[in-house]
Amino acid sequence: MTEKVKLLSHVEAINWNRIQDDKDVDVWNRLVNNFWLPEKVPLSNDVQSWNTLTPVEQQLTMRVFTGLTLLDTIQGTVGAVSLIPDAITPHEEAVYTNIAFMESVHAKSYSSIFSTLASTKEIDEAFRWSTENVNLQKKAHIVMDYYQGDDPLKRKVASTLLESFLFYSGFYLPMYWSSRAKLTNTADLIRLIIRDEAVHGYYIGYKFQKGLEKVSEEKRQEIKDYTFELLFELYENEVQYTHDLYDGVGLAEDVKKFLHYNANKALMNLGYEAMFPSSVTDVNPAILSALSPNADENHDFFSGSGSSYVIGKAVNTEDEDWDF
Amino acid sequence: MTTPTISRNVRGRAGVEPLETDASLIYFSSASDNTHRFVSKLPVRSARIPLLTSEDTLRAVSPFVLVLPTYGGTSGKGAVPRQVIKFLNVEGNRRLLRGVIGAGNTNFGDTYCLAADIIAAKCNVPVLYRFELMGTSEDVDRVTQGLEEFWT
């Protein structure tokens, strides 16, 4: 980057005993409690499973993970950092540093997967592919442009769309393998990343909405139009990227449903209504269950098919302050 | 997004006595207002549990369904918001609770809508529905219809 790096011009000692926005403390605590490192996940147990994949499936998996590595690298070294100068509270600044570090952990964890499963040659080839794939590079350039732009609200929109939408063409694959009982330890690691990205998208989206409250109605409309334009631009590119990756294994159409589903969630994180109708967000139930065992709607009384329903499953209820 | 902490269906004086409500839907929503936005789209009378635990909690006077979110954690610990615990620690509120609706994000895996599961298990009522973030229009339709049938 040749541009002058934007930094805060003034900093005061952060006082965690004087809080302006409780959400900063809640999210900081949530992120700290969720902290993890790839070394804790027994990835080597996936070696046998990896060897059952065809060469095409292995190559696809490597490419998907280099694509995700690129996004995490951007978010860790540019995206989350670019939000710091716009922060409204000092605690918000601190949360962004946590997010930035965690993105670097995510980026590194893909390398742990690679070194466990693949040869140096295969790893190098996958990284070379990531620098040469037009649609992956385009996605990176689009968000990088907005991170370097001068509108704090637009930066948050780009950041939320990255956290809550752009990752999912990649996240689909480990959930797919997991649903077929393959690479299950790798999937466990990816689930930790998926959980983190949800908190990041939620928080940046929340701060975006707080910022939106402070601007004129005209500006609000401009930002809304911009958000949907950017989403469409990124979406069209994601569709191309999805075909590049998944056409060889015939999964592209299924992946696109997952994209629509997550685009809706990204919009909701920004406080906007979901855009894609349910007819195109009907994600394969096996993928949803791989994401969350509770996502099976048949547990719900309203959605259940018949006369009986399942009362909430047995759970650990040890909240000390729950005293009835 | 300037939202009063208590809806118009609540009567009583704050700080003096618990705030009574006969709303058939009682909910908790954090400052993000996701759950609040979902509930606002339902054609039912609702009351919001105060955001601060230092405030007096609501006192239900007729049967109700509870809507509450779960924020991604690593286990069940701390899944139920303190404000909701305070509300359910009022014995009369537990007695009038008929069902729970959970909000959350499937990204949270095992803990998706866990607070609703925990309360359902503790209070022996069904989990009626789960939705993500502020819900889609389809979620609104299904819950509207579901509640209508549930109360008849």
Side-chain angles (χ1 to χ4, degrees):
Chain A
M1 267 182 292
T2 50
E3 295 90 345
K4 192 161 181 264
V5 178
K6 192 181 163 205
L7 291 174
L8 284 173
S9 54
H10 177 74
V11 175
E12 284 177 18
I14 185 168
N15 181 358
W16 281 93
N17 292 307
R18 206 161 272 285
I19 299 298
Q20 292 97 318
D21 185 346
D22 287 331
K23 197 60 90 184
D24 296 334
V25 184
D26 290 348
V27 169
W28 173 274
N29 289 339
R30 185 62 74 196
L31 292 173
V32 170
N33 287 331
N34 285 357
F35 178 74
W36 59 278
L37 287 171
E39 288 75 14
K40 301 279 182 198
V41 182
L43 293 169
S44 58
N45 291 346
D46 281 349
V47 171
Q48 230 180 340
S49 176
W50 175 253
N51 291 328
T52 68
L53 301 185
T54 66
V56 170
E57 291 169 341
Q58 289 184 349
Q59 187 187 55
L60 166 64
T61 307
M62 297 287 290
R63 288 179 175 180
V64 160
F65 286 164
T66 51
L68 290 170
T69 304
L70 177 59
L71 291 185
D72 275 312
T73 310
I74 290 172
Q75 196 64 352
T77 56
V78 183
V81 178
S82 80
L83 300 175
I84 294 176
D86 310 325
I88 299 164
T89 68
H91 316 95
E92 181 182 352
E93 293 161 11
V95 171
Y96 291 141
T97 63
N98 180 311
I99 291 177
F101 170 66
M102 217 51 218
E103 297 294 355
S104 296
V105 171
H106 298 170
K108 184 169 184 291
S109 65
Y110 294 111
S111 286
S112 300
I113 297 172
F114 291 147
S115 59
T116 308
L117 302 178
S119 68
T120 309
K121 183 166 163 282
E122 289 166 320
I123 297 169
D124 289 343
E125 273 174 10
F127 274 100
R128 190 172 46 77
W129 177 87
S130 77
T131 61
E132 287 171 1
N133 181 274
V134 175
N135 297 310
L136 178 60
Q137 288 301 320
K138 187 176 170 193
K139 136 156 94 171
H141 283 139
I142 295 170
V143 283
M144 287 285 283
D145 274 354
Y146 285 106
Y147 287 155
Q148 285 158 7
D150 55 10
D151 190 320
L153 288 171
K154 290 183 179 175
R155 252 197 296 280
K156 287 196 181 66
V157 170
S159 216
T160 305
L161 292 182
L162 186 148
E163 299 271 13
S164 304
F165 173 57
L166 293 181
F167 278 116
Y168 292 83
S169 51
F171 286 155
Y172 175 90
L173 190 64
M175 293 303 103
Y176 175 79
W177 290 137
S178 168
S179 75
R180 319 195 93 192
K182 296 196 180 224
L183 302 186
T184 52
N185 296 283
T186 301
D188 284 342
L189 182 149
I190 301 297
R191 277 188 205 95
L192 295 171
I193 298 180
I194 288 174
R195 185 182 69 188
D196 290 344
E197 306 304 8
V199 180
H200 298 172
Y202 168 82
Y203 181 73
I204 299 168
Y206 165 78
K207 288 293 180 181
F208 165 76
Q209 294 175 59
K210 288 280 135 194
L212 216 48
E213 285 173 8
K214 294 195 170 73
V215 300
S216 68
E217 184 53 42
E218 194 187 356
K219 175 74 177 173
R220 250 175 261 176
Q221 191 56 48
E222 180 204 322
I223 294 290
K224 187 175 182 180
D225 294 343
Y226 154 82
T227 301
F228 282 84
E229 273 167 36
L230 177 58
L231 180 63
F232 277 121
E233 186 183 5
L234 290 169
Y235 170 71
E236 281 184 13
N237 188 61
E238 279 303 285
V239 169
Q240 291 303 314
Y241 182 60
T242 296
H243 282 293
D244 284 355
L245 283 169
Y246 292 97
D247 273 352
V249 293
L251 289 171
E253 293 310 311
D254 213 31
V255 177
K256 281 196 264 179
K257 289 179 179 177
F258 197 53
L259 295 185
H260 303 151
Y261 165 71
N262 284 291
N264 278 351
K265 287 166 70 171
L267 286 172
M268 287 195 271
N269 271 333
L270 290 165
Y272 296 123
E273 296 290 330
M275 180 181 75
F276 289 97
S278 55
S279 54
V280 295
T281 60
D282 51 337
V283 178
N284 182 346
I287 300 297
L288 274 187
S289 314
L291 204 54
S292 164
N294 288 349
D296 177 2
E297 62 179 25
N298 290 323
H299 288 314
D300 299 345
F301 187 78
F302 288 167
S303 330
S305 49
S307 48
S308 67
Y309 58 84
V310 183
I311 284 182
K313 62 178 172 143
V315 282
N316 192 8
T317 57
E318 289 174 354
D319 296 276
E320 298 92 334
D321 46 357
W322 186 290
D323 55 11
F324 67 79
Chain B
M1 272 148 284
T2 47
T3 310
T5 49
I6 311 159
S7 86
R8 64 190 182 286
N9 302 311
V10 173
R11 54 182 183 270
R13 284 175 299 153
V16 179
E17 59 193 64
L19 303 151
E20 288 189 356
T21 176
D22 63 357
S24 66
L25 198 143
I26 293 176
Y27 69 100
F28 177 72
S29 185
S30 84
S32 77
D33 274 344
N34 274 333
T35 304
H36 170 74
R37 271 180 238 174
F38 177 79
V39 168
S40 304
K41 289 182 223 155
L42 301 173
V44 295
R45 295 194 310 123
S46 60
R48 183 174 184 164
I49 296 171
L51 202 50
L52 301 174
T53 38
S54 55
E55 292 176 65
D56 282 330
T57 194
L58 302 180
R59 176 156 294 197
V61 296
S62 54
F64 66 94
V65 164
L66 179 68
V67 189
L68 87 165
T70 305
Y71 309 102
T74 47
S75 67
K77 196 161 164 48
V80 181
R82 295 184 317 279
Q83 296 87 339
V84 176
I85 290 175
K86 180 172 177 177
F87 170 74
L88 287 175
N89 275 339
V90 177
E91 205 271 331
N93 289 341
R94 289 204 302 283
R95 208 175 46 232
L96 290 165
L97 175 65
R98 294 293 181 266
V100 192
I101 293 174
N105 190 328
T106 55
N107 284 37
F108 297 150
D110 290 343
T111 65
Y112 172 52
C113 294
L114 182 60
D117 289 338
I118 290 174
I119 290 172
K122 274 213 177 246
C123 300
N124 203 32
V125 294
V127 174
L128 301 174
Y129 195 77
R130 293 176 174 86
F131 66 91
E132 293 192 77
L133 299 162
M134 58 194 226
T136 63
S137 56
E138 194 185 42
D139 292 322
V140 171
D141 292 345
R142 287 164 87 172
V143 169
T144 300
Q145 197 194 341
L147 284 174
E148 217 175 275
E149 288 164 10
F150 186 68
W151 290 120
T152 51

